[in-house]
Every structure is written in C-alpha cells, then in structure tokens.
Amino acid sequence: MINPHLFWLFFAAASAGVDWAATWFGKFRVMYVFKPATMVFLILWTFFISHWKGDILFVALGLLFCLLGDVLLMLRARFFLGGLAAFMIGQIWFITALNQSALPRNALAYVGSIFILAVVLFPVFEIIRTIRKRKGPRKLIGGVILYSLVEGLLLVSSGLTLYKNDWQLPHALLFTGGAAFFVISDIMLGFDRFVRPIPHGRTWVHITYHFAQFAIAIAALQHFVW
C-alpha cells in the first residue's frame, strides 16, 4: 500500500515540473503560483512525516524561510535584499541542524572544507566586482558577501557530515549534494542578474534550487526521523 504522505511529495515534484516549464516558456504568472507551491507541498510533506519533532524542526524552519525568500524574490527589485536575508536565515537553520553532533576530528575534513570554501567564493568575487563596477549600492555588496559566507558555511557543514559517525554516508552525501545545488543555483542567479544573462537562466536556477530543497528535506528526514 502506498504511503498517503507520499502524495505531498508527488504534489511538490509535479508543482516543480510545472514551474520549470513555466519559466522556460516565459509564463511568469504560472511561475508565481507554482514556485512557492512547490515549497508549500514539500514543507507539508515534512510535517506529516515528522510532525517537526526533534532536530528536524531546524530543517523545517529552514524550508519555511526559503519559502519566504521565494516570495520576496518574486516581488519588485527592492525586495531583493529581503529575499536574500530570508534565504540566509533559512540556511542558518540548516547549519544548526547539521551541527547538533560533535565536529569530526579528521584533519582531512577541514582541508577539504577550506578547498570547498575557496571554490565557492571564487565566482562570488566576479559577481561582487561586477556590482561594484556598475556602482551598485554598498548594502547590496555587503549583503552578497554576508550571504556567500553563510552559504559557504552551509556547504562546509554538510560536507563535514561525511566524516561524522552519527551520519550514514548516503544521507550525508544527499544533504551535501543538496547544499552544492543550492550554491550552484545562487551562483547562476548572481551571474544571470548582475554579470551576464544566461540562456533560460531562470529555469536552470529554479531546477537546481528545487533539487537542493528536495535533497535537503529527504536527507534530513532519513537522518533525523527514519
């Protein structure tokens, strides 16, 4: 018998597919409905599976703030920093969930973390350079820098789970993959908005973003609940 809670996951996946098609064909009114709807269905799925008891609550809060970020980014440009702040708070909740256990003592984990952080920050420098060249507001530059540091910390924190005894490797890999897709999505968004347009850039941003959220939610449920 099919678990009835899987229908919420199915609705989330179907909604994401409609959103991708809508952005590809420029049907932005459809996108305004189905991009946030995807997150709503995903959040409902995590609730009915876990009732947000225990450490999964941190992940649920992260998803909720990401939903708020989705809504703010779909509004006028003046809400961009508000959307950035909402996503940053969401990522801080994800980081909190990942750090409920002790840090690993494997030195290799930290060497790899420094390398990952350098890879993440390199394209961010190009985005910041372009914003400064176009004389963008200082608060935007500061917001992008702060957001990038938090997102880098999310990627590092997820990568460290690969070396933690309380995390099973498949779950750690899935969460790390989700964090990586989050970074890829945001870098593409930054390049598309501030550096140079990417063909069908909005669609690729949405696809990688949804992959990130699905991977994070599923990995968190596998680790904290199942």
Side-chain angles (χ1 to χ4, degrees), residues 24-60:
W24 186 272
F25 294 107
K27 306 296 182 182
F28 297 119
R29 290 185 180 181
V30 178
M31 179 201 73
Y32 292 149
V33 174
F34 284 92
K35 188 170 191 282
T38 301
M39 291 300 296
V40 169
F41 289 135
L42 189 61
I43 290 167
L44 287 172
W45 180 61
T46 64
F47 174 76
F48 286 117
I49 290 290
S50 67
H51 296 286
W52 295 350
K53 293 180 180 179
D55 293 337
I56 192 67
L57 175 62
F58 299 127
V59 177

PDB file of all heavy atoms in Angstrom, residues 24-60:
ATOM      1  N   TRP A  24      10.580  28.291 -18.499  1.00  0.00           N
ATOM      2  CA  TRP A  24      11.187  28.033 -19.812  1.00  0.00           C
ATOM      3  C   TRP A  24      10.431  28.753 -20.921  1.00  0.00           C
ATOM      4  O   TRP A  24      11.030  29.328 -21.840  1.00  0.00           O
ATOM      5  CB  TRP A  24      11.216  26.538 -20.083  1.00  0.00           C
ATOM      6  CG  TRP A  24      11.956  26.160 -21.343  1.00  0.00           C
ATOM      7  CD1 TRP A  24      11.439  26.078 -22.612  1.00  0.00           C
ATOM      8  CD2 TRP A  24      13.348  25.819 -21.450  1.00  0.00           C
ATOM      9  NE1 TRP A  24      12.405  25.705 -23.502  1.00  0.00           N
ATOM     10  CE2 TRP A  24      13.601  25.539 -22.821  1.00  0.00           C
ATOM     11  CE3 TRP A  24      14.392  25.715 -20.541  1.00  0.00           C
ATOM     12  CZ2 TRP A  24      14.856  25.173 -23.270  1.00  0.00           C
ATOM     13  CZ3 TRP A  24      15.648  25.352 -21.003  1.00  0.00           C
ATOM     14  CH2 TRP A  24      15.861  25.085 -22.349  1.00  0.00           C
ATOM     15  N   PHE A  25       9.092  28.739 -20.830  1.00  0.00           N
ATOM     16  CA  PHE A  25       8.256  29.342 -21.863  1.00  0.00           C
ATOM     17  C   PHE A  25       7.788  30.755 -21.514  1.00  0.00           C
ATOM     18  O   PHE A  25       6.970  31.335 -22.225  1.00  0.00           O
ATOM     19  CB  PHE A  25       7.042  28.447 -22.141  1.00  0.00           C
ATOM     20  CG  PHE A  25       7.393  27.119 -22.753  1.00  0.00           C
ATOM     21  CD1 PHE A  25       7.320  25.955 -22.007  1.00  0.00           C
ATOM     22  CD2 PHE A  25       7.822  27.037 -24.069  1.00  0.00           C
ATOM     23  CE1 PHE A  25       7.654  24.724 -22.560  1.00  0.00           C
ATOM     24  CE2 PHE A  25       8.158  25.809 -24.639  1.00  0.00           C
ATOM     25  CZ  PHE A  25       8.079  24.652 -23.880  1.00  0.00           C
ATOM     26  N   GLY A  26       8.321  31.300 -20.432  1.00  0.00           N
ATOM     27  CA  GLY A  26       8.016  32.687 -20.088  1.00  0.00           C
ATOM     28  C   GLY A  26       6.630  32.919 -19.533  1.00  0.00           C
ATOM     29  O   GLY A  26       6.121  34.046 -19.600  1.00  0.00           O
ATOM     30  N   LYS A  27       6.015  31.911 -18.959  1.00  0.00           N
ATOM     31  CA  LYS A  27       4.674  32.049 -18.359  1.00  0.00           C
ATOM     32  C   LYS A  27       4.848  32.417 -16.881  1.00  0.00           C
ATOM     33  O   LYS A  27       4.692  31.599 -15.983  1.00  0.00           O
ATOM     34  CB  LYS A  27       3.886  30.750 -18.516  1.00  0.00           C
ATOM     35  CG  LYS A  27       3.783  30.236 -19.948  1.00  0.00           C
ATOM     36  CD  LYS A  27       3.010  31.204 -20.822  1.00  0.00           C
ATOM     37  CE  LYS A  27       2.865  30.661 -22.252  1.00  0.00           C
ATOM     38  NZ  LYS A  27       2.142  31.607 -23.139  1.00  0.00           N
ATOM     39  N   PHE A  28       5.171  33.675 -16.646  1.00  0.00           N
ATOM     40  CA  PHE A  28       5.580  34.075 -15.307  1.00  0.00           C
ATOM     41  C   PHE A  28       4.431  34.087 -14.308  1.00  0.00           C
ATOM     42  O   PHE A  28       4.647  33.891 -13.110  1.00  0.00           O
ATOM     43  CB  PHE A  28       6.269  35.435 -15.361  1.00  0.00           C
ATOM     44  CG  PHE A  28       7.535  35.413 -16.176  1.00  0.00           C
ATOM     45  CD1 PHE A  28       7.664  36.200 -17.305  1.00  0.00           C
ATOM     46  CD2 PHE A  28       8.583  34.575 -15.831  1.00  0.00           C
ATOM     47  CE1 PHE A  28       8.811  36.158 -18.068  1.00  0.00           C
ATOM     48  CE2 PHE A  28       9.743  34.522 -16.578  1.00  0.00           C
ATOM     49  CZ  PHE A  28       9.860  35.318 -17.698  1.00  0.00           C
ATOM     50  N   ARG A  29       3.221  34.315 -14.758  1.00  0.00           N
ATOM     51  CA  ARG A  29       2.085  34.251 -13.833  1.00  0.00           C
ATOM     52  C   ARG A  29       1.919  32.844 -13.276  1.00  0.00           C
ATOM     53  O   ARG A  29       1.558  32.667 -12.117  1.00  0.00           O
ATOM     54  CB  ARG A  29       0.804  34.710 -14.534  1.00  0.00           C
ATOM     55  CG  ARG A  29       0.768  36.203 -14.848  1.00  0.00           C
ATOM     56  CD  ARG A  29      -0.569  36.612 -15.434  1.00  0.00           C
ATOM     57  NE  ARG A  29      -0.599  38.050 -15.721  1.00  0.00           N
ATOM     58  CZ  ARG A  29      -1.649  38.685 -16.221  1.00  0.00           C
ATOM     59  NH1 ARG A  29      -2.763  38.009 -16.500  1.00  0.00           N
ATOM     60  NH2 ARG A  29      -1.599  39.980 -16.445  1.00  0.00           N
ATOM     61  N   VAL A  30       2.179  31.855 -14.119  1.00  0.00           N
ATOM     62  CA  VAL A  30       2.121  30.463 -13.655  1.00  0.00           C
ATOM     63  C   VAL A  30       3.251  30.210 -12.665  1.00  0.00           C
ATOM     64  O   VAL A  30       3.064  29.563 -11.631  1.00  0.00           O
ATOM     65  CB  VAL A  30       2.214  29.494 -14.851  1.00  0.00           C
ATOM     66  CG1 VAL A  30       2.216  28.041 -14.374  1.00  0.00           C
ATOM     67  CG2 VAL A  30       1.057  29.735 -15.815  1.00  0.00           C
ATOM     68  N   MET A  31       4.421  30.756 -12.976  1.00  0.00           N
ATOM     69  CA  MET A  31       5.571  30.590 -12.088  1.00  0.00           C
ATOM     70  C   MET A  31       5.290  31.165 -10.711  1.00  0.00           C
ATOM     71  O   MET A  31       5.664  30.580  -9.683  1.00  0.00           O
ATOM     72  CB  MET A  31       6.793  31.283 -12.683  1.00  0.00           C
ATOM     73  CG  MET A  31       8.055  31.197 -11.834  1.00  0.00           C
ATOM     74  SD  MET A  31       9.261  32.495 -12.238  1.00  0.00           S
ATOM     75  CE  MET A  31       8.444  33.942 -11.520  1.00  0.00           C
ATOM     76  N   TYR A  32       4.620  32.310 -10.656  1.00  0.00           N
ATOM     77  CA  TYR A  32       4.344  32.957  -9.381  1.00  0.00           C
ATOM     78  C   TYR A  32       3.480  32.084  -8.468  1.00  0.00           C
ATOM     79  O   TYR A  32       3.506  32.247  -7.247  1.00  0.00           O
ATOM     80  CB  TYR A  32       3.643  34.297  -9.607  1.00  0.00           C
ATOM     81  CG  TYR A  32       4.509  35.347 -10.266  1.00  0.00           C
ATOM     82  CD1 TYR A  32       3.957  36.316 -11.089  1.00  0.00           C
ATOM     83  CD2 TYR A  32       5.887  35.349 -10.079  1.00  0.00           C
ATOM     84  CE1 TYR A  32       4.749  37.278 -11.704  1.00  0.00           C
ATOM     85  CE2 TYR A  32       6.689  36.303 -10.692  1.00  0.00           C
ATOM     86  CZ  TYR A  32       6.109  37.258 -11.505  1.00  0.00           C
ATOM     87  OH  TYR A  32       6.905  38.197 -12.112  1.00  0.00           O
ATOM     88  N   VAL A  33       2.758  31.162  -9.061  1.00  0.00           N
ATOM     89  CA  VAL A  33       1.925  30.251  -8.263  1.00  0.00           C
ATOM     90  C   VAL A  33       2.697  28.992  -7.889  1.00  0.00           C
ATOM     91  O   VAL A  33       2.741  28.587  -6.723  1.00  0.00           O
ATOM     92  CB  VAL A  33       0.646  29.862  -9.034  1.00  0.00           C
ATOM     93  CG1 VAL A  33      -0.149  28.801  -8.256  1.00  0.00           C
ATOM     94  CG2 VAL A  33      -0.219  31.095  -9.278  1.00  0.00           C
ATOM     95  N   PHE A  34       3.356  28.383  -8.876  1.00  0.00           N
ATOM     96  CA  PHE A  34       3.897  27.044  -8.663  1.00  0.00           C
ATOM     97  C   PHE A  34       5.284  27.021  -8.025  1.00  0.00           C
ATOM     98  O   PHE A  34       5.645  26.010  -7.420  1.00  0.00           O
ATOM     99  CB  PHE A  34       3.904  26.264  -9.986  1.00  0.00           C
ATOM    100  CG  PHE A  34       2.537  25.790 -10.374  1.00  0.00           C
ATOM    101  CD1 PHE A  34       1.713  26.551 -11.194  1.00  0.00           C
ATOM    102  CD2 PHE A  34       2.053  24.588  -9.883  1.00  0.00           C
ATOM    103  CE1 PHE A  34       0.443  26.115 -11.526  1.00  0.00           C
ATOM    104  CE2 PHE A  34       0.784  24.142 -10.211  1.00  0.00           C
ATOM    105  CZ  PHE A  34      -0.026  24.912 -11.034  1.00  0.00           C
ATOM    106  N   LYS A  35       6.062  28.111  -8.120  1.00  0.00           N
ATOM    107  CA  LYS A  35       7.354  28.099  -7.412  1.00  0.00           C
ATOM    108  C   LYS A  35       7.146  28.057  -5.901  1.00  0.00           C
ATOM    109  O   LYS A  35       7.694  27.186  -5.231  1.00  0.00           O
ATOM    110  CB  LYS A  35       8.215  29.292  -7.814  1.00  0.00           C
ATOM    111  CG  LYS A  35       9.640  29.184  -7.229  1.00  0.00           C
ATOM    112  CD  LYS A  35      10.550  30.235  -7.839  1.00  0.00           C
ATOM    113  CE  LYS A  35      12.016  29.945  -7.476  1.00  0.00           C
ATOM    114  NZ  LYS A  35      12.342  30.343  -6.121  1.00  0.00           N
ATOM    115  N   PRO A  36       6.349  28.956  -5.330  1.00  0.00           N
ATOM    116  CA  PRO A  36       6.107  28.828  -3.881  1.00  0.00           C
ATOM    117  C   PRO A  36       5.283  27.593  -3.530  1.00  0.00           C
ATOM    118  O   PRO A  36       5.465  27.017  -2.457  1.00  0.00           O
ATOM    119  CB  PRO A  36       5.374  30.121  -3.520  1.00  0.00           C
ATOM    120  CG  PRO A  36       4.808  30.633  -4.795  1.00  0.00           C
ATOM    121  CD  PRO A  36       5.745  30.189  -5.867  1.00  0.00           C
ATOM    122  N   ALA A  37       4.373  27.175  -4.435  1.00  0.00           N
ATOM    123  CA  ALA A  37       3.558  25.986  -4.153  1.00  0.00           C
ATOM    124  C   ALA A  37       4.433  24.749  -3.965  1.00  0.00           C
ATOM    125  O   ALA A  37       4.133  23.891  -3.134  1.00  0.00           O
ATOM    126  CB  ALA A  37       2.557  25.756  -5.280  1.00  0.00           C
ATOM    127  N   THR A  38       5.521  24.682  -4.729  1.00  0.00           N
ATOM    128  CA  THR A  38       6.447  23.556  -4.586  1.00  0.00           C
ATOM    129  C   THR A  38       6.973  23.468  -3.159  1.00  0.00           C
ATOM    130  O   THR A  38       6.999  22.395  -2.542  1.00  0.00           O
ATOM    131  CB  THR A  38       7.620  23.702  -5.574  1.00  0.00           C
ATOM    132  OG1 THR A  38       7.112  23.741  -6.908  1.00  0.00           O
ATOM    133  CG2 THR A  38       8.595  22.540  -5.438  1.00  0.00           C
ATOM    134  N   MET A  39       7.387  24.597  -2.622  1.00  0.00           N
ATOM    135  CA  MET A  39       7.905  24.615  -1.259  1.00  0.00           C
ATOM    136  C   MET A  39       6.812  24.328  -0.240  1.00  0.00           C
ATOM    137  O   MET A  39       7.047  23.657   0.771  1.00  0.00           O
ATOM    138  CB  MET A  39       8.571  25.960  -0.973  1.00  0.00           C
ATOM    139  CG  MET A  39       9.860  26.196  -1.733  1.00  0.00           C
ATOM    140  SD  MET A  39      11.126  24.943  -1.364  1.00  0.00           S
ATOM    141  CE  MET A  39      11.410  25.260   0.380  1.00  0.00           C
ATOM    142  N   VAL A  40       5.614  24.827  -0.486  1.00  0.00           N
ATOM    143  CA  VAL A  40       4.499  24.565   0.437  1.00  0.00           C
ATOM    144  C   VAL A  40       4.244  23.064   0.535  1.00  0.00           C
ATOM    145  O   VAL A  40       4.114  22.509   1.635  1.00  0.00           O
ATOM    146  CB  VAL A  40       3.226  25.309  -0.019  1.00  0.00           C
ATOM    147  CG1 VAL A  40       2.007  24.820   0.783  1.00  0.00           C
ATOM    148  CG2 VAL A  40       3.396  26.812   0.160  1.00  0.00           C
ATOM    149  N   PHE A  41       4.172  22.393  -0.605  1.00  0.00           N
ATOM    150  CA  PHE A  41       3.922  20.945  -0.606  1.00  0.00           C
ATOM    151  C   PHE A  41       5.075  20.192   0.056  1.00  0.00           C
ATOM    152  O   PHE A  41       4.853  19.225   0.801  1.00  0.00           O
ATOM    153  CB  PHE A  41       3.726  20.441  -2.032  1.00  0.00           C
ATOM    154  CG  PHE A  41       2.436  20.874  -2.658  1.00  0.00           C
ATOM    155  CD1 PHE A  41       2.402  21.367  -3.960  1.00  0.00           C
ATOM    156  CD2 PHE A  41       1.242  20.790  -1.964  1.00  0.00           C
ATOM    157  CE1 PHE A  41       1.220  21.762  -4.550  1.00  0.00           C
ATOM    158  CE2 PHE A  41       0.040  21.183  -2.545  1.00  0.00           C
ATOM    159  CZ  PHE A  41       0.037  21.681  -3.833  1.00  0.00           C
ATOM    160  N   LEU A  42       6.312  20.632  -0.190  1.00  0.00           N
ATOM    161  CA  LEU A  42       7.474  19.973   0.413  1.00  0.00           C
ATOM    162  C   LEU A  42       7.461  20.149   1.934  1.00  0.00           C
ATOM    163  O   LEU A  42       7.749  19.205   2.684  1.00  0.00           O
ATOM    164  CB  LEU A  42       8.761  20.538  -0.182  1.00  0.00           C
ATOM    165  CG  LEU A  42      10.063  19.818   0.185  1.00  0.00           C
ATOM    166  CD1 LEU A  42      10.038  18.369  -0.298  1.00  0.00           C
ATOM    167  CD2 LEU A  42      11.266  20.557  -0.408  1.00  0.00           C
ATOM    168  N   ILE A  43       7.112  21.339   2.386  1.00  0.00           N
ATOM    169  CA  ILE A  43       7.027  21.608   3.829  1.00  0.00           C
ATOM    170  C   ILE A  43       5.926  20.774   4.460  1.00  0.00           C
ATOM    171  O   ILE A  43       6.108  20.202   5.554  1.00  0.00           O
ATOM    172  CB  ILE A  43       6.801  23.115   4.072  1.00  0.00           C
ATOM    173  CG1 ILE A  43       8.067  23.894   3.702  1.00  0.00           C
ATOM    174  CG2 ILE A  43       6.404  23.380   5.512  1.00  0.00           C
ATOM    175  CD1 ILE A  43       7.859  25.393   3.594  1.00  0.00           C
ATOM    176  N   LEU A  44       4.779  20.679   3.802  1.00  0.00           N
ATOM    177  CA  LEU A  44       3.684  19.861   4.323  1.00  0.00           C
ATOM    178  C   LEU A  44       4.102  18.394   4.411  1.00  0.00           C
ATOM    179  O   LEU A  44       3.753  17.698   5.372  1.00  0.00           O
ATOM    180  CB  LEU A  44       2.444  20.008   3.438  1.00  0.00           C
ATOM    181  CG  LEU A  44       1.695  21.341   3.563  1.00  0.00           C
ATOM    182  CD1 LEU A  44       0.605  21.434   2.489  1.00  0.00           C
ATOM    183  CD2 LEU A  44       1.073  21.485   4.951  1.00  0.00           C
ATOM    184  N   TRP A  45       4.840  17.930   3.415  1.00  0.00           N
ATOM    185  CA  TRP A  45       5.299  16.534   3.438  1.00  0.00           C
ATOM    186  C   TRP A  45       6.190  16.281   4.651  1.00  0.00           C
ATOM    187  O   TRP A  45       6.008  15.281   5.365  1.00  0.00           O
ATOM    188  CB  TRP A  45       6.062  16.223   2.151  1.00  0.00           C
ATOM    189  CG  TRP A  45       6.578  14.824   2.078  1.00  0.00           C
ATOM    190  CD1 TRP A  45       5.854  13.670   2.092  1.00  0.00           C
ATOM    191  CD2 TRP A  45       7.956  14.427   1.978  1.00  0.00           C
ATOM    192  NE1 TRP A  45       6.686  12.577   2.000  1.00  0.00           N
ATOM    193  CE2 TRP A  45       7.971  13.008   1.934  1.00  0.00           C
ATOM    194  CE3 TRP A  45       9.152  15.131   1.903  1.00  0.00           C
ATOM    195  CZ2 TRP A  45       9.158  12.291   1.825  1.00  0.00           C
ATOM    196  CZ3 TRP A  45      10.336  14.416   1.794  1.00  0.00           C
ATOM    197  CH2 TRP A  45      10.332  13.014   1.755  1.00  0.00           C
ATOM    198  N   THR A  46       7.125  17.195   4.913  1.00  0.00           N
ATOM    199  CA  THR A  46       7.999  17.006   6.076  1.00  0.00           C
ATOM    200  C   THR A  46       7.196  17.043   7.370  1.00  0.00           C
ATOM    201  O   THR A  46       7.518  16.329   8.327  1.00  0.00           O
ATOM    202  CB  THR A  46       9.101  18.079   6.129  1.00  0.00           C
ATOM    203  OG1 THR A  46       8.522  19.379   6.307  1.00  0.00           O
ATOM    204  CG2 THR A  46       9.942  18.054   4.866  1.00  0.00           C
ATOM    205  N   PHE A  47       6.149  17.859   7.404  1.00  0.00           N
ATOM    206  CA  PHE A  47       5.335  17.937   8.626  1.00  0.00           C
ATOM    207  C   PHE A  47       4.578  16.646   8.876  1.00  0.00           C
ATOM    208  O   PHE A  47       4.583  16.102   9.985  1.00  0.00           O
ATOM    209  CB  PHE A  47       4.353  19.104   8.546  1.00  0.00           C
ATOM    210  CG  PHE A  47       3.397  19.143   9.709  1.00  0.00           C
ATOM    211  CD1 PHE A  47       3.814  19.599  10.944  1.00  0.00           C
ATOM    212  CD2 PHE A  47       2.087  18.693   9.570  1.00  0.00           C
ATOM    213  CE1 PHE A  47       2.945  19.608  12.035  1.00  0.00           C
ATOM    214  CE2 PHE A  47       1.216  18.704  10.640  1.00  0.00           C
ATOM    215  CZ  PHE A  47       1.645  19.162  11.887  1.00  0.00           C
ATOM    216  N   PHE A  48       3.909  16.136   7.860  1.00  0.00           N
ATOM    217  CA  PHE A  48       3.099  14.930   8.049  1.00  0.00           C
ATOM    218  C   PHE A  48       3.963  13.696   8.305  1.00  0.00           C
ATOM    219  O   PHE A  48       3.508  12.731   8.927  1.00  0.00           O
ATOM    220  CB  PHE A  48       2.183  14.714   6.844  1.00  0.00           C
ATOM    221  CG  PHE A  48       1.027  15.679   6.801  1.00  0.00           C
ATOM    222  CD1 PHE A  48       0.885  16.577   5.750  1.00  0.00           C
ATOM    223  CD2 PHE A  48       0.089  15.696   7.818  1.00  0.00           C
ATOM    224  CE1 PHE A  48      -0.169  17.472   5.709  1.00  0.00           C
ATOM    225  CE2 PHE A  48      -0.979  16.586   7.785  1.00  0.00           C
ATOM    226  CZ  PHE A  48      -1.100  17.478   6.734  1.00  0.00           C
ATOM    227  N   ILE A  49       5.213  13.720   7.842  1.00  0.00           N
ATOM    228  CA  ILE A  49       6.114  12.610   8.118  1.00  0.00           C
ATOM    229  C   ILE A  49       6.662  12.679   9.544  1.00  0.00           C
ATOM    230  O   ILE A  49       6.751  11.671  10.243  1.00  0.00           O
ATOM    231  CB  ILE A  49       7.293  12.602   7.116  1.00  0.00           C
ATOM    232  CG1 ILE A  49       6.803  12.221   5.713  1.00  0.00           C
ATOM    233  CG2 ILE A  49       8.394  11.636   7.567  1.00  0.00           C
ATOM    234  CD1 ILE A  49       6.377  10.780   5.550  1.00  0.00           C
ATOM    235  N   SER A  50       7.014  13.881   9.991  1.00  0.00           N
ATOM    236  CA  SER A  50       7.769  14.014  11.247  1.00  0.00           C
ATOM    237  C   SER A  50       7.052  14.779  12.348  1.00  0.00           C
ATOM    238  O   SER A  50       7.441  14.690  13.513  1.00  0.00           O
ATOM    239  CB  SER A  50       9.083  14.742  10.961  1.00  0.00           C
ATOM    240  OG  SER A  50       8.831  16.091  10.570  1.00  0.00           O
ATOM    241  N   HIS A  51       6.003  15.553  11.965  1.00  0.00           N
ATOM    242  CA  HIS A  51       5.343  16.483  12.894  1.00  0.00           C
ATOM    243  C   HIS A  51       6.352  17.452  13.518  1.00  0.00           C
ATOM    244  O   HIS A  51       6.096  18.025  14.583  1.00  0.00           O
ATOM    245  CB  HIS A  51       4.589  15.717  13.989  1.00  0.00           C
ATOM    246  CG  HIS A  51       3.455  14.894  13.446  1.00  0.00           C
ATOM    247  ND1 HIS A  51       2.266  15.447  13.013  1.00  0.00           N
ATOM    248  CD2 HIS A  51       3.352  13.562  13.217  1.00  0.00           C
ATOM    249  CE1 HIS A  51       1.464  14.490  12.570  1.00  0.00           C
ATOM    250  NE2 HIS A  51       2.106  13.340  12.675  1.00  0.00           N
ATOM    251  N   TRP A  52       7.495  17.603  12.855  1.00  0.00           N
ATOM    252  CA  TRP A  52       8.537  18.562  13.228  1.00  0.00           C
ATOM    253  C   TRP A  52       8.994  18.358  14.676  1.00  0.00           C
ATOM    254  O   TRP A  52       9.300  19.312  15.394  1.00  0.00           O
ATOM    255  CB  TRP A  52       8.051  19.995  13.019  1.00  0.00           C
ATOM    256  CG  TRP A  52       7.788  20.320  11.590  1.00  0.00           C
ATOM    257  CD1 TRP A  52       8.109  19.575  10.499  1.00  0.00           C
ATOM    258  CD2 TRP A  52       7.111  21.474  11.082  1.00  0.00           C
ATOM    259  NE1 TRP A  52       7.682  20.187   9.342  1.00  0.00           N
ATOM    260  CE2 TRP A  52       7.062  21.352   9.665  1.00  0.00           C
ATOM    261  CE3 TRP A  52       6.540  22.597  11.681  1.00  0.00           C
ATOM    262  CZ2 TRP A  52       6.481  22.313   8.867  1.00  0.00           C
ATOM    263  CZ3 TRP A  52       5.958  23.561  10.888  1.00  0.00           C
ATOM    264  CH2 TRP A  52       5.923  23.423   9.484  1.00  0.00           C
ATOM    265  N   LYS A  53       9.082  17.108  15.083  1.00  0.00           N
ATOM    266  CA  LYS A  53       9.554  16.792  16.430  1.00  0.00           C
ATOM    267  C   LYS A  53      11.046  16.493  16.397  1.00  0.00           C
ATOM    268  O   LYS A  53      11.518  15.762  15.532  1.00  0.00           O
ATOM    269  CB  LYS A  53       8.795  15.590  16.991  1.00  0.00           C
ATOM    270  CG  LYS A  53       7.315  15.868  17.246  1.00  0.00           C
ATOM    271  CD  LYS A  53       6.617  14.635  17.812  1.00  0.00           C
ATOM    272  CE  LYS A  53       5.131  14.926  18.075  1.00  0.00           C
ATOM    273  NZ  LYS A  53       4.429  13.728  18.605  1.00  0.00           N
ATOM    274  N   GLY A  54      11.764  17.055  17.345  1.00  0.00           N
ATOM    275  CA  GLY A  54      13.194  16.826  17.403  1.00  0.00           C
ATOM    276  C   GLY A  54      13.964  17.767  16.489  1.00  0.00           C
ATOM    277  O   GLY A  54      13.490  18.859  16.136  1.00  0.00           O
ATOM    278  N   ASP A  55      15.143  17.338  16.078  1.00  0.00           N
ATOM    279  CA  ASP A  55      16.047  18.201  15.305  1.00  0.00           C
ATOM    280  C   ASP A  55      15.546  18.494  13.898  1.00  0.00           C
ATOM    281  O   ASP A  55      16.033  19.434  13.256  1.00  0.00           O
ATOM    282  CB  ASP A  55      17.432  17.550  15.225  1.00  0.00           C
ATOM    283  CG  ASP A  55      18.112  17.495  16.589  1.00  0.00           C
ATOM    284  OD1 ASP A  55      17.751  18.307  17.468  1.00  0.00           O
ATOM    285  OD2 ASP A  55      18.993  16.629  16.779  1.00  0.00           O
ATOM    286  N   ILE A  56      14.592  17.731  13.412  1.00  0.00           N
ATOM    287  CA  ILE A  56      14.029  18.006  12.081  1.00  0.00           C
ATOM    288  C   ILE A  56      13.343  19.370  12.059  1.00  0.00           C
ATOM    289  O   ILE A  56      13.169  19.979  10.992  1.00  0.00           O
ATOM    290  CB  ILE A  56      13.027  16.895  11.665  1.00  0.00           C
ATOM    291  CG1 ILE A  56      12.671  17.012  10.176  1.00  0.00           C
ATOM    292  CG2 ILE A  56      11.769  16.953  12.514  1.00  0.00           C
ATOM    293  CD1 ILE A  56      13.796  16.720   9.238  1.00  0.00           C
ATOM    294  N   LEU A  57      12.985  19.894  13.245  1.00  0.00           N
ATOM    295  CA  LEU A  57      12.358  21.218  13.325  1.00  0.00           C
ATOM    296  C   LEU A  57      13.265  22.281  12.730  1.00  0.00           C
ATOM    297  O   LEU A  57      12.790  23.213  12.068  1.00  0.00           O
ATOM    298  CB  LEU A  57      12.029  21.555  14.782  1.00  0.00           C
ATOM    299  CG  LEU A  57      11.477  22.970  15.037  1.00  0.00           C
ATOM    300  CD1 LEU A  57      10.153  23.168  14.308  1.00  0.00           C
ATOM    301  CD2 LEU A  57      11.325  23.228  16.525  1.00  0.00           C
ATOM    302  N   PHE A  58      14.587  22.156  12.950  1.00  0.00           N
ATOM    303  CA  PHE A  58      15.517  23.146  12.403  1.00  0.00           C
ATOM    304  C   PHE A  58      15.452  23.167  10.872  1.00  0.00           C
ATOM    305  O   PHE A  58      15.496  24.224  10.249  1.00  0.00           O
ATOM    306  CB  PHE A  58      16.947  22.832  12.859  1.00  0.00           C
ATOM    307  CG  PHE A  58      17.130  22.872  14.346  1.00  0.00           C
ATOM    308  CD1 PHE A  58      17.684  21.784  15.010  1.00  0.00           C
ATOM    309  CD2 PHE A  58      16.760  23.977  15.086  1.00  0.00           C
ATOM    310  CE1 PHE A  58      17.872  21.804  16.381  1.00  0.00           C
ATOM    311  CE2 PHE A  58      16.936  24.013  16.464  1.00  0.00           C
ATOM    312  CZ  PHE A  58      17.487  22.919  17.112  1.00  0.00           C
ATOM    313  N   VAL A  59      15.355  21.988  10.275  1.00  0.00           N
ATOM    314  CA  VAL A  59      15.267  21.899   8.818  1.00  0.00           C
ATOM    315  C   VAL A  59      13.939  22.471   8.332  1.00  0.00           C
ATOM    316  O   VAL A  59      13.890  23.178   7.318  1.00  0.00           O
ATOM    317  CB  VAL A  59      15.436  20.440   8.357  1.00  0.00           C
ATOM    318  CG1 VAL A  59      15.265  20.331   6.847  1.00  0.00           C
ATOM    319  CG2 VAL A  59      16.799  19.906   8.769  1.00  0.00           C
ATOM    320  N   ALA A  60      12.860  22.182   9.060  1.00  0.00           N
ATOM    321  CA  ALA A  60      11.549  22.716   8.700  1.00  0.00           C
ATOM    322  C   ALA A  60      11.562  24.244   8.721  1.00  0.00           C
ATOM    323  O   ALA A  60      11.015  24.897   7.821  1.00  0.00           O
ATOM    324  CB  ALA A  60      10.478  22.173   9.642  1.00  0.00           C
TER     325      ALA A  60
END
